[in-house]
Amino acid sequence: MQEQRASDDRTDASIVEIDGEPIDLLALENQVCFALAVAARGVIGVYRPILEPLGLTHPQYLVMLALWQRSPRTVRDLGAALQLEPATLSPLLKRLEAQGYLTRQRSTKDERALDVELTPSGRALREQALGIPPQVVDRLGMTLEELGSLRDRLGEVIDAVQRGER
Amino acid sequence: MQEQRASDDRTDASIVEIDGEPIDLLALENQVCFALAVAARGVIGVYRPILEPLGLTHPQYLVMLALWQRSPRTVRDLGAALQLEPATLSPLLKRLEAQGYLTRQRSTKDERALDVELTPSGRALREQALGIPPQVVDRLGMTLEELGSLRDRLGEVIDAVQRGER
DNA sequence: TCACAATCATTAGTGTACTAATTATTAGCT
DNA sequence: AGCTAATAATTAGTACACTAATGATTGTGA
């Protein structure tokens, strides 16, 4: 049970030089994916107590945002908007239906598709949701400029990811 | 079943002006949390096929990164480094143990704590892992400068989240 | 038209990720 | 020393999120 560190290796192949500075490619703190995962979990954690009064989880909140923009829409359409698999949405939508925020029924035009539609209760929930973004911004203590710039940069990453899918 | 749009409301309280431009606070595409979630899922998805030959999921890969930096270390220590609950790590570590990459045994100094230690196999895996960051960078088609800058900005968000926890 | 491929949603199975409750051990106080 | 609080890990329960397989419907080409 002896202490072992990567730095014990004199010729560690994970060390590269960037601008004359040695960078460890396998160091946790240098991983963009780690920063992304922690930031996403952290921000979703900020939403948790704020969404709690509405009875929504964060993914459910995103579905409601999508439906407030257009309703009814199909599961596949929601999946395209939210970048989620239908298999993920299926049980999630059932929970929102159980909450009374939406209805699920087969499309008349195409019996394969399922139309997801807001109920009056679901539409009314939007009024309460108006207070959420300000609460989050306030809680984070960041400016709208910082947040907007971050969102744009994340958009570039999302584009980079999608460019490689075919 | 009538089409309904938020924009039907003439006096929509979710529309604010920033730099004279009208911004919808509840529009999906304006949410930083949505961009974060999609980017994180997307980037983790990029890792999936790259990690597959090593038999690791992305969270498992992060655990290995942490152990390559220091081993042995306790579950709690790993949780602090990875920002994960012990309840999340517990089953994850059992899977890595089943894979033969680490051992789990009670600390002799403190019988409450569990020492997680790399096996020779787990230590050897690091050689294969050296190829992962270059593959990811190549697949994303982004420069190291862009990625480094993004990582730093994500660090600011993580700090903002943690500032509010007590 | 009619076999067959494509599409849509669901289910099954696995793996995070959280909170709350539980068990075991240690530390601290009097 | 002994009671109590605190700490470490696990378990239980819920909810995503993915891939693969399934069932139902629709579209298409010979």
Side-chain angles (χ1 to χ4, degrees):
Chain A
M1 192 165 108
Q2 66 192 21
E3 280 269 326
Q4 175 109 357
R5 288 169 173 279
S7 53
D8 289 348
D9 296 333
R10 294 298 180 185
T11 59
D12 191 328
S14 72
I15 309 284
V16 298
E17 296 231 345
I18 296 182
D19 292 340
E21 236 185 316
I23 303 285
D24 187 346
L25 288 182
L26 289 186
L28 197 54
E29 61 272 18
N30 290 336
Q31 308 301 315
V32 181
C33 64
F34 176 56
L36 256 178
V38 173
R41 287 204 313 265
V43 169
I44 289 173
V46 166
Y47 274 86
R48 199 165 291 124
I50 296 175
L51 289 175
E52 205 261 358
L54 311 204
L56 295 177
T57 64
H58 187 260
Q60 290 169 1
Y61 172 63
L62 296 182
V63 168
M64 295 304 290
L65 288 179
L67 287 174
W68 287 326
Q69 289 187 301
R70 187 167 66 251
S71 166
R73 55 201 302 184
T74 67
V75 173
R76 185 149 291 275
D77 183 41
L78 277 171
L82 297 167
Q83 296 267 69
L84 285 174
E85 297 297 322
T88 300
L89 283 173
S90 201
L92 195 157
L93 292 171
K94 285 184 183 176
R95 289 181 203 109
L96 287 175
E97 182 185 38
Q99 294 243 64
Y101 290 145
L102 53 82
T103 58
R104 299 161 58 251
Q105 57 180 32
R106 290 287 157 183
S107 167
T108 50
K109 293 181 284 286
D110 184 344
E111 293 273 335
R112 292 171 302 184
L114 193 77
D115 277 329
V116 178
E117 185 169 18
L118 287 173
T119 61
S121 165
R123 214 171 284 118
L125 193 66
R126 190 171 183 276
E127 296 304 312
Q128 292 185 59
L130 290 174
I132 291 178
Q135 286 183 68
V136 171
V137 172
D138 177 66
R139 161 64 180 78
L140 287 177
M142 294 176 67
T143 68
L144 290 182
E145 286 70 29
E146 288 175 305
L147 291 171
S149 151
L150 174 64
R151 188 200 53 217
D152 293 343
R153 287 183 174 252
L154 290 169
E156 295 169 11
V157 179
I158 294 169
D159 288 344
V161 170
Q162 288 175 335
R163 256 193 298 281
E165 302 175 335
R166 78 205 104 267
Chain B
M1 194 166 107
Q2 66 193 21
E3 280 270 326
Q4 176 107 0
R5 287 169 176 279
S7 53
D8 288 347
D9 296 332
R10 294 297 179 185
T11 59
D12 190 328
S14 73
I15 310 285
V16 298
E17 296 232 346
I18 295 181
D19 292 340
E21 236 185 317
I23 303 283
D24 187 347
L25 287 182
L26 290 186
L28 197 55
E29 62 271 19
N30 290 336
Q31 308 301 314
V32 181
C33 64
F34 176 55
L36 257 178
V38 173
R41 288 204 312 265
V43 170
I44 289 173
V46 166
Y47 275 85
R48 199 166 292 124
I50 296 174
L51 289 174
E52 204 262 357
L54 311 203
L56 295 177
T57 64
H58 188 259
Q60 289 169 2
Y61 172 63
L62 296 181
V63 168
M64 295 303 290
L65 288 179
L67 287 173
W68 288 326
Q69 288 187 302
R70 187 166 68 252
S71 165
R73 55 200 303 184
T74 66
V75 173
R76 187 147 230 83
D77 183 40
L78 277 172
L82 297 167
Q83 296 267 70
L84 285 175
E85 297 297 321
T88 300
L89 283 173
S90 200
L92 194 158
L93 292 171
K94 286 184 183 175
R95 289 182 202 110
L96 286 174
E97 183 186 39
Q99 294 244 62
Y101 290 144
L102 53 82
T103 59
R104 300 161 57 252
Q105 58 179 31
R106 291 285 158 185
S107 167
T108 50
K109 293 182 284 287
D110 184 345
E111 294 271 338
R112 292 170 301 183
L114 193 78
D115 277 329
V116 177
E117 186 170 18
L118 287 173
T119 61
S121 163
R123 215 172 283 115
L125 192 67
R126 189 171 182 279
E127 296 304 313
Q128 293 186 58
L130 290 174
I132 290 177
Q135 287 182 68
V136 172
V137 172
D138 178 64
R139 161 63 179 80
L140 287 178
M142 295 175 67
T143 68
L144 290 181
E145 286 70 29
E146 288 174 307
L147 291 171
S149 152
L150 174 64
R151 188 200 54 219
D152 293 343
R153 284 178 177 258
L154 289 169
E156 295 170 12
V157 178
I158 294 169
D159 288 343
V161 169
Q162 288 176 335
R163 255 195 298 281
E165 305 175 332
R166 75 201 100 269

